[in-house]
Amino acid sequence: MATIYDVSQLAGVSLATVSRVMNKNTNVSEKTKQKVLAAMAELGYRPNTFAQSLASNCSNSVGVLVSQLDGPYYGPMMAEIEAALRADNRHVIIAVGHSDAAQEIDSVEFLLSKGCDALILDVEAISDDYLIKLSQSSTPIVLINRYIAEISDCCIYLNNELGGYMATRHLLDLGHRDIAYISGPSKKHDAIERLEGHKRALAEVGISYDPALCFEGDYKEDSGVDGMNYLFSQNKTFTAVVCANDQMVSGAISVCLERGMQIPQDLSFVGYDNIPFARYVSPKLTTVNNPIHEMGKMAALWLLKNLYKQDLEVENVFEPELVVRNSAIRI
Amino acid sequence: MATIYDVSQLAGVSLATVSRVMNKNTNVSEKTKQKVLAAMAELGYRPNTFAQSLASNCSNSVGVLVSQLDGPYYGPMMAEIEAALRADNRHVIIAVGHSDAAQEIDSVEFLLSKGCDALILDVEAISDDYLIKLSQSSTPIVLINRYIAEISDCCIYLNNELGGYMATRHLLDLGHRDIAYISGPSKKHDAIERLEGHKRALAEVGISYDPALCFEGDYKEDSGVDGMNYLFSQNKTFTAVVCANDQMVSGAISVCLERGMQIPQDLSFVGYDNIPFARYVSPKLTTVNNPIHEMGKMAALWLLKNLYKQDLEVENVFEPELVVRNSAIRI
DNA sequence: CTGTTAGCGCTTTCAT
DNA sequence: ATGAAAGCGCTAACAG
């Protein structure tokens, strides 16, 4: 493998000059620049990134920590992050936190030990305090899907409360009055916020929230199944159910279908996230759009702007949108 | 940030000794080892990976190139790769190839330029020749979802032809005789192989393959929609359709449902891949299981064994399995 | 505009 | 078992 030294020899210039043309330093005459470029091409020269990183203290890598890699949720986000960073010749290192505090912390340590220039974190279990402290260290972080007032500038998040409100409000507008709710884990911020929105919509029309009509799931399909079974076991009437994410409505609907029910004729459903499959299942899901890929992109742009000093506009908070399809009808 | 030098000072030993304990070199007395460990702990020492990589010419990173990050397919694979490598303190750098030859090549160059110790590639468009040549370079590669005879040792793949055969054979066994097929892109190896299997099953019972009953999709939901519309427009009779992946059956079924058809009563479907959603859509999909996460894991183990010299068993070829659910019934 | 030179923090012979 | 010292390939003052 050719080194910068070989290039400088071939081009008949010094190491520094070669380094300058690599780093697009302007103080190089067009002529020498061409000589150097030619030498590089001839040698098939490829700079050693480790030597660069060691000398410059910049690795051009950003670590991305997500809760999980499988599932429909993080793929689109990772795709946007990779694309935005890659376009600027930076690379992304991935790590998975499994929604567990110890593993999440271990993962940020891991990423830090790998010398990332910055971290993009989608973490559930790590405490606010830890993150605030982390944000004060020399490695910049950006938080996706989480709002912490003290470090709001580096938070990219969705207005989940509003989304929860919209879902239930839609059902209310369709005439439903007995609305069940299958929630996400009560320790996840977004799950709490979505449920808050649900309650606000209910309160707005004077309906009191009935805990018996609320089941706490874990965002996976199976807990939609469990939730539905629980709700049926309550012997309460309800004409609609909102689920805190689309995967759970998928599970929930499957048990209804197995019982021979017709959806949405017998029961209306509203989901959350608008995952790709929401348009293809039957009935097509009425759901709240979660612009997760846009947030991923924005996180990358945030870094490009604040760390790598590009001139870019960045927005922190995203608004959910109701996507009306066929799983909820007027009562 | 403390350096190895600080540690050596505090412990009262030389740089070399500190380096030895980091690298688990045996030639260190237990006593000095403890002194060094204590010094490290006290300083919160974290080795600089770039200096390590520069000096040792080993980065402990492996590049993973996939066609896409969104979609249900690659998540499970990436998850397994990350977990297996991470457990051994290696990290994974991701890149996306978008099933385009130029972008795929650009991605491997990118990964190589980032100093990866090895590459895990799931590439569609790159030529066999390029890959054979690449495998002869100093950076090991392992191919997922692809078989190239000349470098079969580093290929981890599924017997796609057999899977295609199984899907159609199942329908045949259920009494179907007029079976349509929605294929993947004719330039993708796995799509070709699956179709081959379909043809073999047909031939086995003396049915001649009718090109008019075959539509070439692109593995995405929308092409399942297109495929179904095409098939209906042919005015041919068929009682079942096999799709080369589950996403396309999802799209295909949605158009049937819109036409007021009952699935599987009016038309049977068999898919391929057994993506997570296959169990939750209605009807639950009868499909061919694709152990993509196992293949991902195996690719990681292959590297652990061949590159990082761990003592492990690795298998190259995986067998598909028919998963019988509710989307196909006896005619 | 170009060259010289001193590191960046670690690994790895080679001595002892 | 431990230490001294020579790099690994590059960047970034500094000098000219």
Side-chain angles (χ1 to χ4, degrees):
Chain A
M1 195 79 257
T3 73
I4 193 175
Y5 180 77
D6 301 322
V7 176
S8 75
Q9 291 292 299
L10 215 184
V13 299
S14 72
L15 295 185
T17 300
V18 177
S19 177
R20 286 190 187 99
V21 346
M22 279 200 284
N23 297 295
K24 310 197 186 309
N25 189 314
T26 46
N27 292 334
V28 183
S29 74
E30 187 58 28
K31 203 168 141 191
T32 24
K33 182 175 167 185
Q34 292 309 328
K35 267 195 305 188
V36 172
L37 257 18
M40 285 177 166
E42 184 172 343
L43 293 170
Y45 171 69
R46 196 181 277 163
N48 180 316
T49 54
F50 306 120
Q52 287 180 314
S53 297
L54 181 58
S56 68
N57 199 31
C58 168
S59 68
N60 290 314
S61 74
V62 352
V64 178
L65 171 54
V66 294
S67 302
Q68 51 165 182
L69 243 20
D70 40 3
Y73 196 77
Y74 291 103
M77 184 180 112
M78 297 283 327
E80 292 284 353
I81 294 175
E82 192 270 346
L85 257 20
R86 169 82 176 282
D88 205 38
N89 204 34
R90 327 274 174 184
H91 62 275
V92 359
I93 297 177
I94 59 172
V96 181
H98 302 288
S99 303
D100 172 79
Q103 289 187 66
E104 284 181 356
I105 289 178
D106 188 65
S107 291
V108 343
E109 295 287 341
F110 176 77
L111 258 11
L112 253 20
S113 80
K114 293 304 182 181
C116 295
D117 286 343
L119 263 30
I120 293 177
L121 307 176
D122 188 314
V123 289
E124 327 261 18
I126 285 184
S127 72
D128 284 5
D129 282 352
Y130 181 95
L131 292 170
I132 293 171
K133 205 154 292 167
L134 183 62
S135 75
Q136 290 157 352
S137 76
S138 57
T139 306
I141 64 173
V142 13
L143 265 27
I144 292 193
N145 266 325
R146 182 146 173 180
Y147 174 76
I148 299 178
E150 291 87 338
I151 50 174
S152 62
D153 177 55
C154 67
C155 298
I156 310 278
Y157 57 98
L158 179 68
N159 188 338
N160 276 298
E161 197 273 348
L162 178 57
Y165 170 83
M166 288 169 124
T168 300
R169 182 73 231 186
H170 177 62
L171 258 6
L172 256 10
D173 290 344
L174 290 175
H176 294 272
R177 283 300 173 268
D178 303 298
I179 304 175
Y181 192 88
I182 298 181
S183 171
S186 63
K187 51 186 163 201
K188 296 202 181 182
H189 299 73
D190 53 5
I192 296 169
E193 294 158 9
R194 291 173 190 191
L195 180 54
E196 285 307 319
H198 168 67
K199 290 177 182 173
R200 175 161 69 90
L202 251 28
E204 203 171 77
V205 295
I207 298 179
S208 64
Y209 167 72
D210 180 1
L213 278 182
C214 181
F215 177 86
E216 179 181 334
D218 65 2
Y219 278 151
K220 305 219 179 98
E221 280 95 346
D222 282 339
S223 75
V225 172
D226 297 341
M228 213 56 231
N229 286 328
Y230 161 83
L231 291 174
F232 284 136
S233 76
Q234 293 295 294
N235 289 318
K236 294 224 171 191
T237 64
F238 53 92
T239 61
V241 6
V242 358
C243 294
N245 79 351
D246 291 340
Q247 284 165 278
M248 294 196 295
V249 350
S250 166
I253 286 181
S254 75
V255 347
C256 295
L257 261 18
E258 252 161 47
R259 293 185 172 225
M261 294 171 73
Q262 304 261 58
I263 308 296
Q265 293 81 350
D266 298 336
L267 195 56
S268 281
F269 279 91
V270 176
Y272 206 118
D273 282 350
N274 192 25
I275 59 177
F277 258 87
R279 315 171 34 202
Y280 292 100
V281 296
S282 173
K284 297 179 179 173
L285 262 36
T286 289
T287 188
V288 175
N289 187 56
N290 183 347
I292 181 65
H293 57 283
E294 306 223 31
M295 294 198 287
K297 181 174 185 180
M298 206 48 77
L301 296 187
W302 191 97
L303 289 176
L304 257 18
K305 172 179 178 168
N306 293 289
L307 175 61
Y308 299 122
K309 303 306 174 195
Q310 291 200 4
D311 189 25
L312 251 27
E313 285 297 302
V314 171
E315 58 181 318
N316 288 290
V317 42
F318 286 74
E319 298 298 327
E321 240 170 70
L322 186 72
V323 180
V324 178
R325 286 195 279 248
N326 311 330
S327 62
I329 54 172
R330 181 168 296 280
I331 198 171
Chain B
M1 194 79 256
T3 71
I4 194 174
Y5 180 77
D6 302 320
V7 176
S8 75
Q9 291 292 299
L10 215 185
V13 299
S14 71
L15 295 186
T17 301
V18 178
S19 178
R20 286 190 186 100
V21 348
M22 278 200 284
N23 297 296
K24 311 196 186 310
N25 189 313
T26 47
N27 292 335
V28 183
S29 75
E30 186 59 26
K31 203 168 137 191
T32 24
K33 181 176 167 184
Q34 292 308 326
K35 269 195 304 187
V36 172
L37 257 17
M40 285 178 165
E42 185 173 340
L43 292 170
Y45 172 69
R46 194 181 279 161
N48 180 316
T49 53
F50 305 120
Q52 287 180 314
S53 297
L54 181 58
S56 68
N57 199 31
C58 168
S59 68
N60 291 313
S61 74
V62 353
V64 179
L65 171 55
V66 295
S67 302
Q68 50 166 178
L69 243 19
D70 41 3
Y73 197 75
Y74 292 102
M77 183 180 114
M78 297 282 331
E80 294 285 354
I81 294 176
E82 192 270 347
L85 258 18
R86 168 80 175 282
D88 205 40
N89 202 33
R90 327 273 175 185
H91 61 275
V92 1
I93 297 177
I94 58 172
V96 182
H98 301 288
S99 303
D100 172 80
Q103 289 187 66
E104 285 182 354
I105 289 178
D106 188 64
S107 291
V108 343
E109 295 286 342
F110 175 78
L111 259 12
L112 254 19
S113 80
K114 294 303 181 181
C116 295
D117 286 343
L119 263 30
I120 293 177
L121 308 175
D122 188 312
V123 290
E124 327 262 20
I126 285 184
S127 71
D128 284 5
D129 282 351
Y130 181 95
L131 292 170
I132 293 172
K133 205 154 293 168
L134 183 62
S135 75
Q136 291 157 352
S137 77
S138 56
T139 306
I141 64 173
V142 15
L143 263 27
I144 292 191
N145 266 325
R146 183 148 172 177
Y147 175 77
I148 299 178
E150 291 87 337
I151 51 176
S152 62
D153 177 55
C154 67
C155 296
I156 310 279
Y157 57 97
L158 177 70
N159 187 338
N160 275 300
E161 196 274 347
L162 178 57
Y165 170 84
M166 288 170 127
T168 299
R169 182 73 230 186
H170 177 62
L171 257 7
L172 257 10
D173 290 345
L174 290 175
H176 294 273
R177 284 299 172 270
D178 302 297
I179 304 174
Y181 193 89
I182 297 180
S183 169
S186 63
K187 51 186 161 200
K188 296 202 181 183
H189 299 74
D190 53 5
I192 296 169
E193 292 157 12
R194 291 172 190 190
L195 181 55
E196 285 307 320
H198 167 68
K199 290 178 181 171
R200 175 159 69 91
L202 251 30
E204 203 172 76
V205 296
I207 298 179
S208 64
Y209 167 72
D210 179 1
L213 278 182
C214 180
F215 177 85
E216 179 180 334
D218 65 3
Y219 276 151
K220 305 220 179 95
E221 282 94 345
D222 282 339
S223 75
V225 172
D226 297 341
M228 213 58 231
N229 286 329
Y230 161 84
L231 291 174
F232 285 137
S233 75
Q234 294 295 296
N235 289 318
K236 294 224 173 190
T237 63
F238 53 92
T239 62
V241 7
V242 358
C243 295
N245 79 350
D246 291 341
Q247 283 165 278
M248 293 196 295
V249 353
S250 166
I253 286 181
S254 76
V255 345
C256 295
L257 261 18
E258 252 161 47
R259 293 187 172 222
M261 295 171 71
Q262 304 262 58
I263 307 296
Q265 293 80 350
D266 297 337
L267 196 56
S268 282
F269 279 92
V270 176
Y272 207 119
D273 282 349
N274 192 24
I275 59 176
F277 258 88
R279 313 172 35 204
Y280 293 100
V281 295
S282 173
K284 296 177 181 178
L285 262 37
T286 289
T287 187
V288 175
N289 187 54
N290 182 348
I292 181 66
H293 55 284
E294 305 224 32
M295 293 198 288
K297 182 174 185 175
M298 206 47 77
L301 296 186
W302 191 97
L303 288 177
L304 256 20
K305 172 177 177 169
N306 294 289
L307 175 59
Y308 299 123
K309 304 304 174 197
Q310 291 199 7
D311 189 25
L312 251 27
E313 285 296 300
V314 170
E315 58 181 317
N316 288 290
V317 42
F318 286 75
E319 298 297 325
E321 241 170 70
L322 187 72
V323 179
V324 177
R325 286 195 281 247
N326 311 329
S327 63
I329 54 173
R330 179 166 299 281
I331 199 170

